[in-house]
Amino acid sequence: MRLLVVEDDRDAADYLVKAFREVGHVADAAIDGEEGFGMALDGQYDVLIVDRMLPKLDGLTVIGNLRDKGVETPVLILSALGQVDDRVKGLRAGGDDYLPKPYSFSELLARVEVLSRRRGGRGEETVLRVGDLSLDRMSREVRRGEEEVSLQPREFRLLEYLMKHAGQVVTRTMLLENVWDYHFDPQTNVIDVHISRLRSKIDKGFSQPLLHTIRGAGYMIRDGAR
């Protein structure tokens, strides 16, 4: 998932971004309502996690403005205000879920995953296929033919991104920005290492390779039978 955390407490925002990245998701942070609104406006995120009390624009105003602009990205509201009336106001403002503070990260993650599944059910593919390779975004099961493929969270995210762009060249910059969330090339071989591991897991032992290196351009996953 690609997530946006709108939270003015920098320590809390940094903690959430780090925690989401550790389980294989891509996460960005905004420290006030105006910044969060601007970042969420193009609908590139799967779920927004929005604190209710924010400088410049409060969380409910951010959500309302996004809904007015036609942005339907699911929103989970975080707030120290946990009374029934507070939750009702948050949901009526356009929020999809409401989690009072303090909260556990495991519960927050579970709620975010539920919101992402709901969005997937509104039209986004939940099972990606390339040839005899399938990836289930909900169960996180990957299979090549009849064989189940075990992937680490980052490998899963890498394969998911490649399969979403099947038949297209995916550049290193695209992978760094969308899988590792780097906005520059840190001159690291992290992509090469993960591509090599992924290739060994999905192609080794099969006559038709699916993952290809496009020299000087990037990588592509495609049905080798075509």
Side-chain angles (χ1 to χ4, degrees):
M1 291 181 289
R2 189 172 184 89
L3 308 170
L4 176 63
V5 178
V6 188
E7 167 66 76
D8 62 321
D9 183 326
R10 290 180 182 271
D11 289 339
D14 290 345
Y15 165 75
L16 288 178
V17 167
K18 181 180 179 181
F20 282 128
R21 291 176 180 174
E22 285 178 348
V23 294
H25 301 304
V26 176
D28 298 323
I31 61 171
D32 62 56
E34 285 185 359
E35 182 182 21
F37 174 74
M39 293 175 68
L41 197 55
D42 64 1
Q44 66 175 315
Y45 295 99
D46 296 302
V47 179
L48 311 176
I49 299 95
V50 180
D51 185 49
R52 182 165 173 173
M53 307 295 289
L54 294 168
K56 297 187 178 179
L57 285 178
D58 69 86
L60 300 191
T61 300
V62 170
I63 297 166
N65 289 349
L66 288 171
R67 299 302 186 235
D68 289 343
K69 293 290 185 180
V71 178
E72 298 182 355
T73 307
V75 178
L76 187 150
I77 301 170
L78 298 177
S79 179
L81 304 174
Q83 299 300 313
V84 172
D85 287 347
D86 299 315
R87 297 198 297 272
V88 169
K89 287 179 182 177
L91 297 174
R92 285 180 173 168
D96 298 273
D97 198 357
Y98 195 108
L99 184 60
K101 298 179 180 181
Y103 55 84
S104 70
F105 178 73
S106 60
E107 181 180 3
L108 172 60
L109 179 61
R111 287 172 179 251
V112 167
E113 289 172 343
V114 168
L115 292 179
S116 179
R117 286 199 295 272
R118 289 177 185 169
R119 190 186 198 194
R122 291 200 295 267
E124 189 175 353
E125 289 184 273
T126 58
V127 179
L128 304 176
R129 302 182 190 278
V130 177
D132 60 351
L133 177 68
S134 65
L135 178 149
D136 190 316
R137 303 173 73 187
M138 299 299 102
S139 68
R140 302 185 73 81
E141 181 182 75
V142 177
R143 304 189 73 88
R144 177 86 195 259
E146 298 299 318
E147 297 182 18
E148 186 170 355
V149 180
S150 178
L151 299 180
Q152 296 297 316
R154 187 70 67 183
E155 294 168 345
F156 183 92
R157 175 66 180 167
L158 174 59
L159 180 60
E160 179 186 26
Y161 189 80
L162 289 166
M163 292 181 72
K164 284 173 68 177
H165 297 84
Q168 305 172 25
V169 175
V170 175
T171 67
R172 292 174 61 88
T173 298
M174 291 167 68
L175 292 176
L176 285 166
E177 291 184 350
N178 292 280
V179 178
W180 277 269
D181 203 31
Y182 299 159
H183 297 289
F184 59 93
D185 189 341
Q187 300 299 317
T188 176
N189 68 345
V190 64
I191 290 179
D192 306 287
V193 170
H194 279 77
I195 287 288
S196 177
R197 290 176 180 169
L198 184 59
R199 181 179 280 124
S200 71
K201 292 184 177 184
I202 67 171
D203 280 344
K204 188 176 181 179
F206 293 89
S207 59
Q208 293 287 348
L210 298 177
L211 181 53
H212 304 270
T213 299
I214 310 302
R215 190 175 299 276
Y219 307 94
M220 180 189 296
I221 195 163
R222 64 171 183 261
D223 186 352
R226 294 181 179 177

